[in-house]
Amino acid sequence: MAWPFLKVLLVGASFLGCLYPLVDFSFSGEKRDQKPNFVIILADDMGWGDLGANWAETKDTANLDKMAAEGMRFVDFHAAASTCSPSRAALLTGRLGLRNGVPRNFAVSSVGGLPLNETTLAEVLRRAGYVTALIGKWHLGHHGSYHPNFRGFDYYFGIPYSHDMGCTDTPGYNHPPCPACPRGGRPSRNLEKDCYSDVALPLYENLNIVEQPVNLSGLAQKYAEKATQFIQWASASGRPFLLYMGLAHMHVPLSRNLLSAEPGGRRPYSAALREMDSLVGRIKDKVDLTAKNNTFLWFTGDNGPWAQKCELAGSVGPFTGSWQTRQGGSSAKQATWEGGHRVPALAYWPGRVPVNVTSTALLSVLDIFPTVVALAGASLPQGRHFDGLDASEVLFGGAQAGHRVLFHPNSGAAGEDGALQTVRLERYKAFFVTGGARACDGSVGPEWRHEPPLIFNLDDDVAEAAPLEPGSAEYQRVLPEVRAALSGVLEDIAGDNVSRADYGQDPSATPCCNAHQTACRCHA
């Protein structure tokens, strides 16, 4: 197999317990000590209020809290979308869904993925001499050329989409509860439309399915082992590295084997949060042991909590979206309220990122791409417009000025998928469309279009409870700036080299290691 920009050999030697594509390190570029390593850890469905360093009521994140004390904590950091695929596509391209072509999630049987003419962060860094790995959730296409190994990642270990998108023999806590995979000739027991019970959840190592269904009880341990082994191997290789970790936490299902080890009968969410924190701690400890002074570690989330999962969902903290919840529905995941977009974020780089600093800069997951590219001494892809900014001045220079404007795309709760109808302008937030996602009680807030828009002052109203009076001087001053910002970005997108994802589906694209076995079973 020949991958672009790297000379790759498939050899029979074992790396991380598998047939691994070893890289020819005869590359004649810069030495590793001239380029930093990058570890990007993306939590799934974690709430802003789950992080102890964000004043959470329960302290289940001791390792992340320690990282915050040893680095920088961001309190106004935002996902680029409030659902899985669009958020991940934005992280890896630095571009909103209207540009990169990914406005909604991909399915188990999707034939497409992140458009092939989009350039990922891994591809940019590989061209700059980096060795790259993805461990965990991908959710940007798994069929053919959309697989991570063809999108810039030398090594891949993980699940191709969310880990509730397939049955397992260890289904864990979910709401509603989901059945285990069928065995033998037994028919599917798909009694709940929210459960996937026909095809087992696959675990990939590079291009091969190594376990189907995956045992979710041991998944966190496997991710930790693969991540620490990759860091060790890459550090010894003489090359700079990128490790992108797409965690399964805090997405449902939550593992059932956690509570037995937890004191005091902790609720499942709290136990899972502690497991995630331990996993992150192991990765940070490995970085500290092998490449502490030359590795930038960035932790954040893909969107807010999945409120319809009830007690299995996280906390939005003070960002309750009260105006929306009064209308019905959730104001968290899938919605453009603060609870859906404002996520935990930490930066850690001893000697570079200052210690125990809280930043109020308005930043986004979109900023990871341009910041990492700049720090690596690489160049942004040509012929594309980007929505993120290089946050180096905030990280190292003490600046508190991030974005003046952020745009929150509709992500399934209301409006057209990907449409930019919520605008953050400094301390103000304007909604041209509102609507709730499904809440724990099953309610869904109605879709309302607002002309003129609802505008909230977040400095005075973090709960987004009471919009400004349209007749007030403050509203009249802000409204023209909001309209100008929105028309400006839409005009820019219209003139950009935008992409379109193929959202077609075909049963033959569904990952299956053995079509002759019920639910596609194979052994590790």
Side-chain angles (χ1 to χ4, degrees):
M1 179 191 305
W3 292 344
F5 317 117
L6 285 176
K7 182 179 178 182
V8 177
L9 302 174
L10 287 176
V11 299
S14 174
F15 169 65
L16 306 187
C18 72
L19 191 68
Y20 182 78
L22 292 179
V23 179
D24 179 358
F25 292 112
S26 60
F27 177 79
S28 59
E30 295 177 274
K31 295 180 180 179
R32 200 192 84 180
D33 59 5
Q34 295 177 297
K35 290 180 181 290
N37 308 308
F38 301 101
V39 178
I40 300 168
I41 304 177
L42 190 68
D44 198 343
D45 290 2
M46 183 180 179
W48 189 94
D50 291 339
L51 183 67
N54 283 345
W55 305 293
E57 292 182 5
T58 57
K59 301 298 183 182
D60 293 317
T61 56
N63 291 288
L64 286 167
D65 296 349
K66 183 173 184 287
M67 189 187 304
E70 296 174 350
M72 184 174 291
R73 165 179 166 271
F74 302 95
V75 293
D76 203 355
F77 195 93
H78 295 260
S82 60
T83 195
C84 303
S85 296
S87 184
R88 285 162 169 72
L91 186 157
L92 289 174
T93 65
R95 290 155 54 83
L96 287 164
L98 285 186
R99 300 187 197 269
N100 65 37
V102 183
R104 63 183 190 274
N105 286 341
F106 293 104
V108 172
S109 56
S110 287
V111 298
L114 177 66
L116 299 178
N117 62 329
E118 288 291 321
T119 304
T120 71
L121 178 61
E123 289 170 326
V124 173
L125 292 192
R126 231 169 61 166
R127 292 170 185 172
Y130 279 70
V131 61
T132 59
L134 163 62
I135 294 173
K137 176 176 173 177
W138 171 237
H139 214 168
L140 291 175
H142 53 270
H143 186 62
S145 298
Y146 297 99
H147 186 279
N149 282 142
F150 300 112
R151 305 312 304 271
F153 290 100
D154 299 316
Y155 178 70
Y156 171 53
F157 182 86
I159 295 169
Y161 28 70
S162 296
H163 69 288
D164 66 335
M165 294 172 64
C167 63
T168 73
D169 294 332
T170 54
Y173 292 96
N174 204 340
H175 181 81
C178 291
C181 286
R183 289 182 178 273
R186 287 191 293 172
S188 167
R189 294 175 293 157
N190 191 5
L191 304 178
E192 296 285 353
K193 65 179 181 178
D194 294 323
C195 297
Y196 294 75
S197 60
D198 295 326
V199 179
L201 189 67
L203 179 65
Y204 275 84
E205 191 147 35
N206 294 319
L207 299 174
N208 300 316
I209 297 175
V210 295
E211 188 179 2
Q212 191 173 13
V214 60
N215 183 348
L216 292 179
S217 298
L219 189 60
Q221 175 68 18
K222 289 178 181 177
Y223 281 177
E225 289 174 355
K226 298 299 186 183
T228 55
Q229 289 171 21
F230 174 79
I231 292 169
Q232 180 67 45
W233 176 84
S235 298
S237 73
R239 293 280 291 281
F241 65 84
L242 165 69
L243 171 60
Y244 169 38
M245 289 283 302
L247 302 182
H249 304 76
M250 295 300 297
H251 200 293
V252 293
L254 306 179
S255 177
R256 287 187 177 274
N257 71 329
L258 296 172
L259 294 184
S260 61
E262 286 292 320
R266 289 181 176 272
R267 65 189 181 103
Y269 191 88
S270 179
L273 193 60
R274 290 167 69 90
E275 182 185 60
M276 182 202 71
D277 180 72
S278 177
L279 191 162
V280 174
R282 287 183 61 181
I283 296 169
K284 177 182 175 292
D285 288 347
K286 190 64 177 180
V287 166
D288 286 346
L289 285 172
T290 57
K292 181 174 183 176
N293 296 322
N294 200 39
T295 301
F296 180 23
L297 195 157
W298 206 326
F299 174 90
T300 188
D302 68 337
N303 49 246
W306 200 358
Q308 77 177 72
K309 297 301 178 177
C310 300
E311 73 279 2
L312 304 180
S315 167
V316 296
F319 306 107
T320 54
S322 298
W323 187 94
Q324 178 59 61
T325 56
R326 289 197 299 269
Q327 321 305 316
S330 161
S331 59
K333 177 177 178 173
Q334 295 184 299
T336 57
W337 300 90
E338 290 296 283
H341 270 261
R342 197 179 294 220
V343 291
L346 304 172
Y348 172 77
W349 189 354
R352 294 293 306 277
V353 171
V355 173
N356 201 21
V357 169
T358 296
S359 172
T360 60
L362 179 59
L363 294 175
S364 167
V365 164
L366 289 158
D367 305 326
I368 292 176
F369 185 101
T371 303
V372 169
V373 168
L375 292 174
S379 299
L380 292 172
Q382 297 298 304
R384 302 279 181 182
H385 296 181
F386 295 88
D387 298 292
L389 56 78
D390 178 359
S392 298
E393 282 298 309
V394 176
L395 290 164
F396 312 128
Q400 288 293 339
H403 291 266
R404 180 174 180 267
V405 180
L406 278 179
F407 301 96
H408 296 340
N410 296 334
S411 296
E416 180 183 353
D417 287 333
L420 305 180
Q421 294 170 326
T422 302
V423 181
R424 172 73 185 273
L425 174 72
E426 295 174 332
R427 66 182 180 274
Y428 297 99
K429 183 95 166 281
F431 292 83
F432 289 88
V433 175
T434 59
R438 188 172 300 279
C440 175
D441 63 6
S443 68
V444 177
E447 179 178 316
W448 284 8
R449 295 184 179 270
H450 303 274
E451 187 52 60
L454 299 180
I455 300 180
F456 297 83
N457 182 335
L458 297 180
D459 278 359
D460 299 331
D461 183 16
V462 297
E464 295 171 299
L468 300 176
E469 288 293 333
S472 68
E474 185 178 18
Y475 185 99
Q476 293 300 319
R477 176 176 57 81
V478 174
L479 180 60
E481 296 185 57
V482 168
R483 292 197 189 280
L486 183 57
S487 63
V489 73
L490 293 177
E491 181 179 353
D492 183 74
I493 291 172
D496 191 12
N497 185 8
V498 300
S499 301
R500 295 287 183 268
D502 180 359
Y503 277 94
Q505 296 187 42
D506 187 326
S508 66
T510 301
C512 184
C513 64
N514 187 348
H516 300 292
Q517 289 286 329
T518 301
C520 296
R521 286 183 175 275
C522 62
H523 298 290

